[in-house]
Amino acid sequence: MAESLIDVVIPQLQFEQTIDNKGLFIVGNYGTGKSHLMSVISAIAEDAGILNLVKHDEFKKHAATIAGKFEVLRFEIGASKMNLRDIVLKKIEGDLKKRGIEYKFPPVDEVTDNKQYLVEMMGLFEEKYPDKGYLIVVDELLDYLQHKKELEIKFDLGFLREIGEVNKNIRIRFMAGVQETLFDNPSFSFVAKTILKVKDRYEQIIIKREDISYVVSQRLLQKNNEQKAWIREHLQKFSSMYKNMADRLEEYTSLFPIHPAYLETFEKVYIAEKREVLKTITMTIREILDQDVPCNGPVLFHMIHTGCLLKTIHQIEQSLILRK
Protein backbone atom coordinates (compact mmCIF):
# COMPACT_ATOMS: atom_id res chain seq x y z
CA MET A 1 0.00 0.00 0.00
CA ALA A 2 2.86 2.38 0.81
CA GLU A 3 4.28 1.69 -2.67
CA SER A 4 0.90 2.44 -4.27
CA LEU A 5 0.61 5.69 -2.36
CA ILE A 6 4.17 6.71 -3.24
CA ASP A 7 4.05 5.66 -6.91
CA VAL A 8 0.46 6.61 -7.79
CA VAL A 9 -1.46 8.72 -5.28
CA ILE A 10 1.16 11.35 -4.40
CA PRO A 11 2.31 11.94 -8.01
CA GLN A 12 -1.31 12.42 -9.10
CA LEU A 13 -2.12 14.81 -6.25
CA GLN A 14 1.02 16.99 -6.37
CA PHE A 15 1.08 20.04 -8.61
CA GLU A 16 4.71 21.18 -8.32
CA GLN A 17 5.80 19.03 -11.27
CA THR A 18 3.96 19.09 -14.59
CA ILE A 19 2.50 15.69 -15.38
CA ASP A 20 -0.78 14.42 -16.83
CA ASN A 21 -2.58 14.48 -13.47
CA LYS A 22 -5.63 12.23 -13.16
CA GLY A 23 -8.40 11.60 -10.66
CA LEU A 24 -8.13 8.80 -8.10
CA PHE A 25 -10.40 5.92 -7.13
CA ILE A 26 -9.72 4.19 -3.80
CA VAL A 27 -11.21 0.70 -4.14
CA GLY A 28 -12.01 -1.34 -1.06
CA ASN A 29 -14.74 -3.62 0.22
CA TYR A 30 -16.97 -2.62 3.14
CA GLY A 31 -14.96 -2.34 6.35
CA THR A 32 -11.50 -2.65 4.77
CA GLY A 33 -10.41 0.88 5.70
CA LYS A 34 -11.15 2.64 2.39
CA SER A 35 -12.70 5.70 4.01
CA HIS A 36 -9.97 5.74 6.66
CA LEU A 37 -7.25 5.68 3.99
CA MET A 38 -8.86 8.62 2.18
CA SER A 39 -9.09 10.46 5.51
CA VAL A 40 -5.37 9.93 6.15
CA ILE A 41 -4.38 11.13 2.66
CA SER A 42 -6.65 14.19 2.78
CA ALA A 43 -5.62 15.04 6.37
CA ILE A 44 -1.96 15.13 5.35
CA ALA A 45 -2.82 17.15 2.24
CA GLU A 46 -4.66 19.69 4.42
CA ASP A 47 -2.35 19.87 7.44
CA ALA A 48 1.43 19.38 7.19
CA GLY A 49 1.58 18.80 10.95
CA ILE A 50 -0.18 15.45 10.50
CA LEU A 51 2.94 14.20 8.74
CA ASN A 52 4.71 14.03 12.12
CA LEU A 53 2.36 11.18 13.09
CA VAL A 54 3.26 9.04 10.07
CA LYS A 55 5.41 6.01 10.98
CA HIS A 56 6.37 4.81 7.49
CA ASP A 57 9.58 6.72 6.71
CA GLU A 58 9.57 6.31 2.92
CA PHE A 59 5.93 7.37 2.58
CA LYS A 60 6.55 10.25 4.98
CA LYS A 61 9.40 11.54 2.80
CA HIS A 62 7.33 11.47 -0.40
CA ALA A 63 4.15 12.77 1.24
CA ALA A 64 5.98 16.01 2.10
CA THR A 65 5.31 17.11 -1.50
CA ILE A 66 1.55 17.32 -0.80
CA ALA A 67 1.54 17.99 2.97
CA GLY A 68 -0.42 21.14 3.79
CA LYS A 69 -0.71 22.06 0.11
CA PHE A 70 -4.50 21.70 -0.18
CA GLU A 71 -7.82 23.02 1.00
CA VAL A 72 -10.10 19.97 1.27
CA LEU A 73 -13.80 19.37 0.64
CA ARG A 74 -15.06 16.02 1.98
CA PHE A 75 -18.53 14.55 1.61
CA GLU A 76 -20.39 11.27 1.25
CA ILE A 77 -23.12 10.68 -1.30
CA GLY A 78 -26.29 9.21 0.20
CA ALA A 79 -29.60 8.24 -1.37
CA SER A 80 -30.30 11.02 -3.85
CA LYS A 81 -32.14 11.51 -7.13
CA MET A 82 -29.88 14.42 -8.06
CA ASN A 83 -27.36 13.85 -10.82
CA LEU A 84 -23.69 13.61 -9.86
CA ARG A 85 -22.82 16.95 -11.45
CA ASP A 86 -25.36 18.86 -9.38
CA ILE A 87 -24.37 17.07 -6.16
CA VAL A 88 -20.65 17.80 -6.56
CA LEU A 89 -21.07 21.38 -7.78
CA LYS A 90 -23.61 22.20 -5.07
CA LYS A 91 -21.15 20.92 -2.44
CA ILE A 92 -18.38 23.03 -4.00
CA GLU A 93 -20.58 26.16 -3.99
CA GLY A 94 -21.43 25.64 -0.31
CA ASP A 95 -17.80 25.05 0.64
CA LEU A 96 -16.61 28.13 -1.27
CA LYS A 97 -19.28 30.27 0.38
CA LYS A 98 -17.97 29.26 3.82
CA ARG A 99 -14.55 30.41 2.66
CA GLY A 100 -15.88 33.79 1.54
CA ILE A 101 -15.80 32.97 -2.17
CA GLU A 102 -19.02 33.60 -4.11
CA TYR A 103 -19.44 31.45 -7.21
CA LYS A 104 -22.52 29.97 -8.85
CA PHE A 105 -22.32 27.26 -11.50
CA PRO A 106 -24.89 27.66 -14.31
CA PRO A 107 -27.82 25.18 -14.56
CA VAL A 108 -27.09 21.97 -16.42
CA ASP A 109 -29.37 22.89 -19.35
CA GLU A 110 -27.22 25.96 -20.04
CA VAL A 111 -23.90 24.10 -20.09
CA THR A 112 -22.04 22.50 -22.98
CA ASP A 113 -18.77 21.91 -21.12
CA ASN A 114 -18.38 21.80 -17.33
CA LYS A 115 -14.60 22.12 -17.50
CA GLN A 116 -14.62 25.80 -18.40
CA TYR A 117 -16.67 26.64 -15.30
CA LEU A 118 -14.41 24.55 -13.06
CA VAL A 119 -11.44 26.50 -14.46
CA GLU A 120 -13.29 29.76 -13.83
CA MET A 121 -14.14 28.71 -10.27
CA MET A 122 -10.53 27.75 -9.55
CA GLY A 123 -9.44 31.21 -10.75
CA LEU A 124 -11.41 32.73 -7.85
CA PHE A 125 -10.16 30.02 -5.49
CA GLU A 126 -6.52 30.73 -6.32
CA GLU A 127 -7.01 34.45 -5.71
CA LYS A 128 -7.67 33.58 -2.06
CA TYR A 129 -5.36 30.54 -1.88
CA PRO A 130 -2.55 31.35 -4.37
CA ASP A 131 -0.25 28.54 -3.22
CA LYS A 132 -2.81 25.80 -2.66
CA GLY A 133 -4.80 23.20 -4.53
CA TYR A 134 -8.40 22.14 -3.99
CA LEU A 135 -8.90 18.46 -3.08
CA ILE A 136 -12.42 17.02 -3.38
CA VAL A 137 -12.93 13.72 -1.54
CA VAL A 138 -16.14 11.77 -2.23
CA ASP A 139 -17.15 8.52 -0.52
CA GLU A 140 -19.73 5.83 -1.39
CA LEU A 141 -19.71 6.76 -5.08
CA LEU A 142 -20.44 3.26 -6.38
CA ASP A 143 -23.54 2.79 -4.22
CA TYR A 144 -24.91 6.00 -5.69
CA LEU A 145 -24.20 5.02 -9.32
CA GLN A 146 -25.58 1.48 -9.05
CA HIS A 147 -29.15 2.71 -8.58
CA LYS A 148 -29.17 4.82 -11.74
CA LYS A 149 -30.76 4.13 -15.11
CA GLU A 150 -28.64 3.89 -18.25
CA LEU A 151 -29.04 7.49 -19.46
CA GLU A 152 -28.51 8.83 -15.93
CA ILE A 153 -25.34 6.76 -15.49
CA LYS A 154 -23.98 7.95 -18.85
CA PHE A 155 -24.53 11.56 -17.77
CA ASP A 156 -22.85 10.96 -14.39
CA LEU A 157 -19.92 9.13 -15.98
CA GLY A 158 -19.56 12.00 -18.44
CA PHE A 159 -19.16 14.42 -15.53
CA LEU A 160 -16.65 12.05 -13.86
CA ARG A 161 -14.62 12.11 -17.07
CA GLU A 162 -14.71 15.92 -17.20
CA ILE A 163 -13.58 16.43 -13.62
CA GLY A 164 -10.87 13.81 -14.19
CA GLU A 165 -9.67 15.66 -17.29
CA VAL A 166 -9.56 19.06 -15.61
CA ASN A 167 -7.09 17.68 -13.02
CA LYS A 168 -4.28 18.06 -15.57
CA ASN A 169 -4.89 21.76 -16.23
CA ILE A 170 -5.69 23.33 -12.85
CA ARG A 171 -5.02 22.65 -9.16
CA ILE A 172 -8.25 20.81 -8.54
CA ARG A 173 -7.89 17.15 -7.51
CA PHE A 174 -10.66 14.56 -7.26
CA MET A 175 -10.53 11.39 -5.12
CA ALA A 176 -13.46 9.00 -4.68
CA GLY A 177 -14.03 5.83 -2.67
CA VAL A 178 -15.76 2.86 -4.31
CA GLN A 179 -16.55 -0.63 -2.95
CA GLU A 180 -15.59 -2.43 -6.16
CA THR A 181 -13.60 -1.47 -9.20
CA LEU A 182 -15.76 0.65 -11.46
CA PHE A 183 -13.98 -0.25 -14.68
CA ASP A 184 -14.36 -4.04 -14.57
CA ASN A 185 -17.73 -4.12 -12.83
CA PRO A 186 -20.29 -6.31 -14.68
CA SER A 187 -23.08 -4.10 -13.31
CA PHE A 188 -21.96 -1.39 -15.75
CA SER A 189 -21.38 -3.56 -18.82
CA PHE A 190 -24.22 -1.77 -20.62
CA VAL A 191 -22.18 1.47 -20.54
CA ALA A 192 -18.82 -0.14 -21.28
CA LYS A 193 -17.78 2.43 -23.90
CA THR A 194 -18.49 5.33 -21.56
CA ILE A 195 -16.59 3.57 -18.77
CA LEU A 196 -13.51 3.29 -21.01
CA LYS A 197 -13.47 7.08 -21.49
CA VAL A 198 -13.59 7.55 -17.71
CA LYS A 199 -10.85 4.96 -17.20
CA ASP A 200 -8.40 7.07 -19.22
CA ARG A 201 -8.70 9.88 -16.68
CA TYR A 202 -8.43 7.95 -13.39
CA GLU A 203 -5.94 5.84 -11.48
CA GLN A 204 -7.10 3.09 -9.12
CA ILE A 205 -5.65 2.08 -5.77
CA ILE A 206 -7.05 -1.27 -4.65
CA ILE A 207 -6.98 -2.34 -0.99
CA LYS A 208 -5.98 -5.99 -1.26
CA ARG A 209 -6.19 -8.91 1.16
CA GLU A 210 -2.50 -8.50 2.01
CA ASP A 211 -3.14 -4.91 3.09
CA ILE A 212 -6.03 -6.00 5.32
CA SER A 213 -3.94 -8.84 6.74
CA TYR A 214 -1.22 -6.36 7.66
CA VAL A 215 -3.69 -4.05 9.43
CA VAL A 216 -5.20 -6.99 11.33
CA SER A 217 -1.79 -8.28 12.48
CA GLN A 218 -0.36 -4.85 13.36
CA ARG A 219 -3.38 -3.10 14.86
CA LEU A 220 -6.07 -5.56 15.96
CA LEU A 221 -3.86 -8.52 16.86
CA GLN A 222 -0.48 -6.93 17.57
CA LYS A 223 1.92 -9.13 19.57
CA ASN A 224 5.33 -8.68 21.13
CA ASN A 225 8.21 -11.07 20.42
CA GLU A 226 7.58 -13.15 23.54
CA GLN A 227 3.93 -13.68 22.61
CA LYS A 228 4.88 -14.59 19.03
CA ALA A 229 7.38 -17.17 20.30
CA TRP A 230 4.72 -18.75 22.54
CA ILE A 231 2.15 -18.85 19.72
CA ARG A 232 4.68 -20.25 17.24
CA GLU A 233 5.55 -23.09 19.62
CA HIS A 234 1.85 -23.75 20.23
CA LEU A 235 0.95 -23.87 16.51
CA GLN A 236 3.88 -26.08 15.51
CA LYS A 237 2.24 -28.96 17.40
CA PHE A 238 -0.68 -28.81 14.93
CA SER A 239 1.07 -27.79 11.70
CA SER A 240 0.66 -31.26 10.18
CA MET A 241 -3.13 -30.89 10.40
CA TYR A 242 -3.27 -27.70 8.33
CA LYS A 243 -2.34 -27.29 4.68
CA ASN A 244 0.70 -25.01 4.25
CA MET A 245 0.82 -24.06 7.94
CA ALA A 246 4.48 -25.05 8.22
CA ASP A 247 5.38 -22.88 5.21
CA ARG A 248 3.24 -19.96 6.41
CA LEU A 249 3.92 -20.28 10.13
CA GLU A 250 4.86 -16.60 10.56
CA GLU A 251 1.60 -15.52 8.91
CA TYR A 252 -0.41 -17.89 11.13
CA THR A 253 1.46 -16.54 14.15
CA SER A 254 0.88 -12.88 13.27
CA LEU A 255 -2.84 -13.39 12.66
CA PHE A 256 -3.47 -15.80 15.56
CA PRO A 257 -6.16 -16.65 16.53
CA ILE A 258 -7.58 -15.77 13.09
CA HIS A 259 -6.95 -18.30 10.34
CA PRO A 260 -5.52 -16.70 7.14
CA ALA A 261 -8.36 -18.37 5.20
CA TYR A 262 -10.76 -16.15 7.16
CA LEU A 263 -9.59 -13.12 5.15
CA GLU A 264 -9.43 -15.10 1.91
CA THR A 265 -13.07 -16.17 2.34
CA PHE A 266 -14.19 -12.67 3.28
CA GLU A 267 -12.72 -11.35 0.03
CA LYS A 268 -15.03 -13.67 -1.93
CA VAL A 269 -18.24 -12.47 -0.28
CA TYR A 270 -20.04 -10.25 -2.77
CA ILE A 271 -23.67 -10.44 -1.74
CA ALA A 272 -23.73 -9.67 1.98
CA GLU A 273 -25.08 -6.22 2.78
CA LYS A 274 -22.21 -5.26 5.10
CA ARG A 275 -18.89 -7.07 4.79
CA GLU A 276 -16.98 -5.29 7.53
CA VAL A 277 -14.04 -7.61 8.07
CA LEU A 278 -12.16 -5.52 10.65
CA LYS A 279 -15.25 -4.96 12.77
CA THR A 280 -16.21 -8.64 12.58
CA ILE A 281 -12.74 -9.76 13.66
CA THR A 282 -12.88 -7.30 16.56
CA MET A 283 -16.21 -8.79 17.71
CA THR A 284 -14.83 -12.32 17.38
CA ILE A 285 -11.72 -11.59 19.45
CA ARG A 286 -13.70 -9.70 22.09
CA GLU A 287 -15.82 -12.82 22.71
CA ILE A 288 -12.80 -15.04 23.45
CA LEU A 289 -10.37 -12.53 24.94
CA ASP A 290 -10.69 -13.77 28.55
CA GLN A 291 -10.61 -17.48 27.69
CA ASP A 292 -7.56 -19.69 28.22
CA VAL A 293 -5.96 -21.21 25.13
CA PRO A 294 -6.55 -24.99 25.30
CA CYS A 295 -3.54 -27.28 24.90
CA ASN A 296 -5.40 -29.79 22.70
CA GLY A 297 -6.24 -27.47 19.80
CA PRO A 298 -4.85 -24.51 17.82
CA VAL A 299 -8.00 -22.31 18.26
CA LEU A 300 -7.86 -20.89 14.75
CA PHE A 301 -11.02 -19.08 13.72
CA HIS A 302 -12.44 -19.60 10.25
CA MET A 303 -15.49 -17.69 9.09
CA ILE A 304 -17.84 -20.49 10.17
CA HIS A 305 -16.73 -20.13 13.78
CA THR A 306 -18.30 -16.69 13.92
CA GLY A 307 -22.01 -16.89 14.62
CA CYS A 308 -22.89 -13.60 12.93
CA LEU A 309 -21.49 -14.93 9.62
CA LEU A 310 -23.37 -18.23 9.40
CA LYS A 311 -26.03 -16.54 7.27
CA THR A 312 -23.30 -15.25 4.96
CA ILE A 313 -22.06 -18.80 4.29
CA HIS A 314 -25.59 -19.82 3.32
CA GLN A 315 -25.87 -16.76 1.09
CA ILE A 316 -22.60 -17.66 -0.65
CA GLU A 317 -23.93 -21.14 -1.39
CA GLN A 318 -27.19 -19.74 -2.76
CA SER A 319 -25.29 -17.18 -4.85
CA LEU A 320 -23.09 -19.91 -6.38
CA ILE A 321 -26.19 -21.95 -7.25
CA LEU A 322 -27.81 -18.93 -8.90
CA ARG A 323 -24.66 -18.12 -10.87
CA LYS A 324 -24.48 -21.68 -12.20
Side-chain angles (χ1 to χ4, degrees):
M1 181 53 66
E3 289 177 1
S4 296
L5 295 176
I6 291 168
D7 296 339
V8 180
V9 173
I10 292 173
Q12 295 304 329
L13 289 181
Q14 65 80 38
F15 49 76
E16 292 180 350
Q17 295 182 0
T18 303
I19 66 168
D20 184 15
N21 292 87
K22 299 179 181 181
L24 293 164
F25 286 139
I26 308 298
V27 185
N29 214 332
Y30 284 110
T32 56
K34 162 179 48 58
S35 301
H36 181 74
L37 179 59
M38 292 197 297
S39 294
V40 170
I41 295 168
S42 61
I44 292 170
E46 188 173 32
D47 181 359
I50 299 291
L51 207 57
N52 296 325
L53 303 174
V54 175
K55 296 181 179 179
H56 194 287
D57 292 336
E58 190 68 14
F59 170 71
K60 186 175 183 177
K61 182 177 73 174
H62 285 82
T65 61
I66 66 165
K69 301 289 179 68
F70 287 88
E71 295 297 315
V72 180
L73 166 62
R74 305 173 181 85
F75 63 92
E76 180 179 311
I77 301 180
S80 175
K81 291 186 177 181
M82 292 174 63
N83 61 62
L84 183 63
R85 174 199 182 269
D86 289 349
I87 291 174
V88 173
L89 299 188
K90 189 176 181 67
K91 290 288 186 181
I92 291 175
E93 287 176 356
D95 185 55
L96 293 179
K97 190 172 184 178
K98 293 177 184 176
R99 301 173 185 275
I101 304 171
E102 292 290 337
Y103 187 82
K104 190 77 174 174
F105 289 95
V108 65
D109 54 2
E110 298 178 12
V111 172
T112 57
D113 181 3
N114 289 294
K115 290 184 286 186
Q116 68 182 82
Y117 298 104
L118 289 167
V119 171
E120 189 176 88
M121 176 273 293
M122 282 301 292
L124 294 177
F125 177 90
E126 289 175 9
E127 286 180 12
K128 182 160 186 176
Y129 303 102
D131 302 321
K132 291 199 172 186
Y134 192 29
L135 175 59
I136 300 168
V137 183
V138 182
D139 207 357
E140 306 301 346
L141 180 62
L142 192 65
D143 270 1
Y144 165 79
L145 291 175
Q146 282 180 327
H147 300 293
K148 293 300 197 79
K149 297 176 183 177
E150 182 174 352
L151 288 177
E152 294 173 333
I153 289 179
K154 283 186 175 181
F155 183 81
D156 289 342
L157 291 175
F159 178 73
L160 270 180
R161 176 185 56 78
E162 286 183 296
I163 202 167
E165 286 177 350
V166 84
N167 277 240
K168 65 181 179 180
N169 298 319
I170 55 178
R171 292 180 180 177
I172 197 169
R173 298 291 182 267
F174 186 82
M175 178 166 60
V178 293
Q179 290 81 13
E180 302 170 43
T181 173
L182 183 66
F183 305 133
D184 305 314
N185 196 317
S187 302
F188 299 112
S189 58
F190 59 95
V191 286
K193 290 183 179 178
T194 310
I195 288 282
L196 285 176
K197 293 179 181 178
V198 178
K199 187 176 183 179
D200 289 339
R201 296 311 314 161
Y202 285 86
E203 296 283 358
Q204 289 191 129
I205 298 298
I206 300 175
I207 299 176
K208 300 177 181 177
R209 183 174 67 244
E210 291 79 9
D211 302 316
I212 302 166
S213 176
Y214 182 81
V215 172
V216 171
S217 65
Q218 297 299 313
R219 298 297 290 271
L220 299 185
L221 304 175
Q222 191 175 35
K223 306 167 182 72
N224 59 36
N225 290 333
E226 185 181 2
Q227 290 168 326
K228 285 183 179 179
W230 186 91
I231 293 167
R232 197 179 293 112
E233 182 182 353
H234 174 70
L235 290 178
Q236 281 175 334
K237 293 182 283 186
F238 309 99
S239 61
S240 61
M241 304 177 187
Y242 285 82
K243 182 181 178 181
N244 297 329
M245 181 186 276
D247 296 332
R248 300 169 62 184
L249 190 59
E250 290 307 311
E251 183 181 3
Y252 275 81
T253 300
S254 296
L255 290 175
F256 182 85
I258 297 297
H259 193 293
Y262 190 109
L263 300 176
E264 294 167 11
T265 306
F266 229 110
E267 196 175 54
K268 298 173 184 176
V269 179
Y270 297 105
I271 38 76
E273 189 64 27
K274 289 286 182 183
R275 307 180 289 276
E276 298 177 335
V277 60
L278 302 181
K279 184 181 291 185
T280 306
I281 288 175
T282 299
M283 292 167 57
T284 301
I285 299 303
R286 189 175 291 151
E287 291 175 2
I288 65 167
L289 201 56
D290 297 326
Q291 298 177 20
D292 292 333
V293 177
C295 297
N296 59 350
V299 197
L300 289 169
F301 277 75
H302 298 262
M303 282 185 72
I304 55 172
H305 286 89
T306 310
C308 62
L309 289 174
L310 288 174
K311 287 184 179 180
T312 301
I313 299 298
H314 175 70
Q315 287 174 319
I316 293 172
E317 293 171 349
Q318 294 301 310
S319 175
L320 290 172
I321 292 170
L322 290 171
R323 288 181 186 183
K324 286 180 180 179

